[in-house]
Amino acid sequence: MDMISDLPDCILLHILSFLPTKTAFLTTVLSRRWTHLCHDLQHLHFEQNQFRNRNTWPDLFFIVNWILSRHKAPPIRTFRLTCILHKCDEHTLEGVISKVLGPNLEELNLQLSSIWCSDLKIVIPNGVFSCTSLVTLCLNGGCIKFLSPSSSPSCRYHLPSLKTLQLYNVETSVGNLEELLSHCPALETLILESVCQSRKEGQLSICFPSLKSLHFKSYFGDALRLLLVIDTPSLKRLDILVVEGFREIRVRNLHNVEEASINIAKQSFVLEFLVELCRIRILELGLLVFDCLPEALPHRIPEFTCLQRLELTVSWFDTRYIMDMLHKCPMLKLLAIVFNVRKYEMDPHPSRKWELPAKIPTCLASHLQVIKIKRYYESRDDRDFFAYVLQHGLVFESLDIQVDRARAKGFPEEISLLPRSSKACQINFCWI
């Protein structure tokens, strides 16, 4: 204890900044000095679960306001709040946010839910979107909404320092979101997940020369017919899921993307992305892609000359789809096939037989080292596929199959006896 007490205040405050605020305040039992330090905290983290006492929930906002009322200089730099809201908390929360806003606030993280009041809407104070020092902004909760600058003369969007923006289940309009993004010139990480839209038509543009990571998940219904434009020349990581809601998607300048996860329900949109991802190194194609891409003509799928890792999520073992993708990836080192079998869904081509490829995929003869099969579900012509890759995989090192022991029925023994061209090749089974 003496060694810790000898440390200067700045170091102790730095240590306390990694702790939840409740835990930091528990140190006040040590001495008056720790009480003084807690009132100087620049990083505040409140999580409602930490204040639960047996089966009772204390008034979290009373505690938050009590701490804020006694807070001294220096100013707050980080404010994180995770809680469940009641109807009476609406204006209290807005007041708390207004108190922590200041010229030195760098991170604001609100994780909110309202399970007891489904119609509760928390309007984020306008000052949040004009906080010039803010570097990270995270808003998560179906009860959150933000207004258009035109709704208030004092409201304007201006976030010149913002590098990370995360919006989950936030209610706004296409126009407001578009305008907000246009006032974040330094943005590097953008996460938009299930952001509610209140207009049926419009355009959403994600155009940032500085953006390095984009995570976009949309579950909009057919009622919305939007245009999505993505133009991000510095982007390195892309994760996109689109079910419905867009009449058109235009993508440009994705040539620097190194890792991407694509899960889109429409074939033309999928191809739009794949054509732009010419230098991709790691690619995941989700189950929605499996519903549409196998029907595309092979010449429409571009060649990925730099791709080293490919993950395909499938409902059944479509060897034609898998082989078509192998032909497009001459430098591929690892192939992962993930089964996601949907109930009552049947193979649409039950009579289709294994077709021996006219040409051995380049990657199979020179680069492919590992194939991983996750949650394997027995399908037609899968054994022919395994026999083929084991026979022609000249640098093959490992075939790893995750399989349900109850459904195996001699499958492991049968595969283990297949001949292999690579002496280093091992076949491994993992039971689920």
mmCIF file of all heavy atoms in Angstrom, residues 370-374 398-402 426-430:
data_model
loop_
_atom_site.group_PDB
_atom_site.id
_atom_site.type_symbol
_atom_site.label_atom_id
_atom_site.label_comp_id
_atom_site.label_asym_id
_atom_site.label_seq_id
_atom_site.Cartn_x
_atom_site.Cartn_y
_atom_site.Cartn_z
ATOM 1 N N VAL A 370 -4.726 -25.368 -46.411
ATOM 2 C CA VAL A 370 -5.678 -25.769 -45.376
ATOM 3 C C VAL A 370 -7.112 -25.604 -45.880
ATOM 4 O O VAL A 370 -7.447 -24.590 -46.505
ATOM 5 C CB VAL A 370 -5.490 -24.923 -44.088
ATOM 6 C CG1 VAL A 370 -6.511 -25.323 -43.032
ATOM 7 C CG2 VAL A 370 -4.073 -25.082 -43.543
ATOM 8 N N ILE A 371 -7.946 -26.613 -45.597
ATOM 9 C CA ILE A 371 -9.394 -26.495 -45.781
ATOM 10 C C ILE A 371 -10.051 -26.814 -44.447
ATOM 11 O O ILE A 371 -9.756 -27.847 -43.827
ATOM 12 C CB ILE A 371 -9.929 -27.459 -46.858
ATOM 13 C CG1 ILE A 371 -9.395 -27.054 -48.241
ATOM 14 C CG2 ILE A 371 -11.459 -27.452 -46.885
ATOM 15 C CD1 ILE A 371 -9.880 -27.941 -49.381
ATOM 16 N N LYS A 372 -10.908 -25.911 -44.003
ATOM 17 C CA LYS A 372 -11.640 -26.096 -42.747
ATOM 18 C C LYS A 372 -13.130 -26.216 -43.049
ATOM 19 O O LYS A 372 -13.696 -25.355 -43.739
ATOM 20 C CB LYS A 372 -11.392 -24.921 -41.801
ATOM 21 C CG LYS A 372 -9.951 -24.794 -41.309
ATOM 22 C CD LYS A 372 -9.803 -23.606 -40.363
ATOM 23 C CE LYS A 372 -8.389 -23.482 -39.837
ATOM 24 N NZ LYS A 372 -8.041 -24.552 -38.896
ATOM 25 N N ILE A 373 -13.752 -27.263 -42.550
ATOM 26 C CA ILE A 373 -15.193 -27.458 -42.710
ATOM 27 C C ILE A 373 -15.821 -27.304 -41.318
ATOM 28 O O ILE A 373 -15.517 -28.091 -40.412
ATOM 29 C CB ILE A 373 -15.533 -28.850 -43.280
ATOM 30 C CG1 ILE A 373 -14.657 -29.162 -44.511
ATOM 31 C CG2 ILE A 373 -17.010 -28.941 -43.602
ATOM 32 C CD1 ILE A 373 -14.945 -28.310 -45.706
ATOM 33 N N LYS A 374 -16.663 -26.312 -41.156
ATOM 34 C CA LYS A 374 -17.271 -26.041 -39.851
ATOM 35 C C LYS A 374 -18.746 -26.458 -39.853
ATOM 36 O O LYS A 374 -19.472 -26.154 -40.788
ATOM 37 C CB LYS A 374 -17.147 -24.551 -39.511
ATOM 38 C CG LYS A 374 -15.710 -24.044 -39.482
ATOM 39 C CD LYS A 374 -15.645 -22.559 -39.180
ATOM 40 C CE LYS A 374 -14.209 -22.048 -39.205
ATOM 41 N NZ LYS A 374 -14.127 -20.585 -38.942
ATOM 42 N N SER A 398 -3.529 -29.661 -44.326
ATOM 43 C CA SER A 398 -4.534 -30.036 -43.331
ATOM 44 C C SER A 398 -5.950 -29.926 -43.883
ATOM 45 O O SER A 398 -6.303 -28.932 -44.525
ATOM 46 C CB SER A 398 -4.381 -29.138 -42.097
ATOM 47 O OG SER A 398 -5.386 -29.375 -41.154
ATOM 48 N N LEU A 399 -6.747 -30.977 -43.622
ATOM 49 C CA LEU A 399 -8.187 -30.943 -43.856
ATOM 50 C C LEU A 399 -8.855 -31.108 -42.494
ATOM 51 O O LEU A 399 -8.786 -32.178 -41.883
ATOM 52 C CB LEU A 399 -8.609 -32.064 -44.802
ATOM 53 C CG LEU A 399 -10.123 -32.264 -44.998
ATOM 54 C CD1 LEU A 399 -10.771 -31.011 -45.565
ATOM 55 C CD2 LEU A 399 -10.409 -33.468 -45.886
ATOM 56 N N ASP A 400 -9.448 -30.041 -41.991
ATOM 57 C CA ASP A 400 -10.047 -30.036 -40.659
ATOM 58 C C ASP A 400 -11.564 -30.022 -40.798
ATOM 59 O O ASP A 400 -12.128 -29.090 -41.393
ATOM 60 C CB ASP A 400 -9.593 -28.814 -39.859
ATOM 61 C CG ASP A 400 -8.075 -28.739 -39.740
ATOM 62 O OD1 ASP A 400 -7.448 -29.815 -39.691
ATOM 63 O OD2 ASP A 400 -7.528 -27.624 -39.709
ATOM 64 N N ILE A 401 -12.227 -31.038 -40.232
ATOM 65 C CA ILE A 401 -13.677 -31.164 -40.374
ATOM 66 C C ILE A 401 -14.318 -31.198 -38.991
ATOM 67 O O ILE A 401 -13.999 -32.064 -38.166
ATOM 68 C CB ILE A 401 -14.047 -32.442 -41.153
ATOM 69 C CG1 ILE A 401 -13.346 -32.445 -42.520
ATOM 70 C CG2 ILE A 401 -15.557 -32.550 -41.320
ATOM 71 C CD1 ILE A 401 -13.589 -33.698 -43.337
ATOM 72 N N GLN A 402 -15.211 -30.254 -38.762
ATOM 73 C CA GLN A 402 -15.989 -30.215 -37.520
ATOM 74 C C GLN A 402 -17.329 -30.890 -37.815
ATOM 75 O O GLN A 402 -18.089 -30.426 -38.667
ATOM 76 C CB GLN A 402 -16.192 -28.764 -37.069
ATOM 77 C CG GLN A 402 -16.889 -28.611 -35.742
ATOM 78 C CD GLN A 402 -17.221 -27.151 -35.448
ATOM 79 O OE1 GLN A 402 -17.922 -26.500 -36.213
ATOM 80 N NE2 GLN A 402 -16.700 -26.641 -34.345
ATOM 81 N N GLN A 426 -2.634 -33.864 -43.272
ATOM 82 C CA GLN A 426 -3.293 -34.526 -42.151
ATOM 83 C C GLN A 426 -4.793 -34.252 -42.222
ATOM 84 O O GLN A 426 -5.209 -33.152 -42.585
ATOM 85 C CB GLN A 426 -2.738 -34.032 -40.817
ATOM 86 C CG GLN A 426 -1.288 -34.402 -40.577
ATOM 87 C CD GLN A 426 -0.821 -33.986 -39.196
ATOM 88 O OE1 GLN A 426 -1.481 -33.210 -38.518
ATOM 89 N NE2 GLN A 426 0.319 -34.508 -38.781
ATOM 90 N N ILE A 427 -5.584 -35.240 -41.839
ATOM 91 C CA ILE A 427 -7.042 -35.084 -41.774
ATOM 92 C C ILE A 427 -7.448 -35.123 -40.310
ATOM 93 O O ILE A 427 -7.185 -36.108 -39.604
ATOM 94 C CB ILE A 427 -7.760 -36.179 -42.581
ATOM 95 C CG1 ILE A 427 -7.314 -36.149 -44.048
ATOM 96 C CG2 ILE A 427 -9.276 -36.031 -42.470
ATOM 97 C CD1 ILE A 427 -7.935 -37.233 -44.909
ATOM 98 N N ASN A 428 -8.050 -34.048 -39.859
ATOM 99 C CA ASN A 428 -8.406 -33.911 -38.434
ATOM 100 C C ASN A 428 -9.920 -33.740 -38.295
ATOM 101 O O ASN A 428 -10.545 -33.009 -39.060
ATOM 102 C CB ASN A 428 -7.700 -32.692 -37.831
ATOM 103 C CG ASN A 428 -6.200 -32.729 -38.032
ATOM 104 O OD1 ASN A 428 -5.547 -33.712 -37.715
ATOM 105 N ND2 ASN A 428 -5.640 -31.650 -38.582
ATOM 106 N N PHE A 429 -10.490 -34.413 -37.301
ATOM 107 C CA PHE A 429 -11.925 -34.314 -37.024
ATOM 108 C C PHE A 429 -12.133 -33.703 -35.639
ATOM 109 O O PHE A 429 -11.446 -34.053 -34.662
ATOM 110 C CB PHE A 429 -12.596 -35.681 -37.100
ATOM 111 C CG PHE A 429 -12.621 -36.245 -38.487
ATOM 112 C CD1 PHE A 429 -11.597 -37.063 -38.949
ATOM 113 C CD2 PHE A 429 -13.665 -35.937 -39.346
ATOM 114 C CE1 PHE A 429 -11.612 -37.568 -40.242
ATOM 115 C CE2 PHE A 429 -13.700 -36.449 -40.630
ATOM 116 C CZ PHE A 429 -12.670 -37.273 -41.076
ATOM 117 N N CYS A 430 -13.072 -32.782 -35.573
ATOM 118 C CA CYS A 430 -13.447 -32.161 -34.310
ATOM 119 C C CYS A 430 -14.930 -32.419 -34.103
ATOM 120 O O CYS A 430 -15.756 -32.113 -34.982
ATOM 121 C CB CYS A 430 -13.152 -30.666 -34.345
ATOM 122 S SG CYS A 430 -13.719 -29.755 -32.901
#
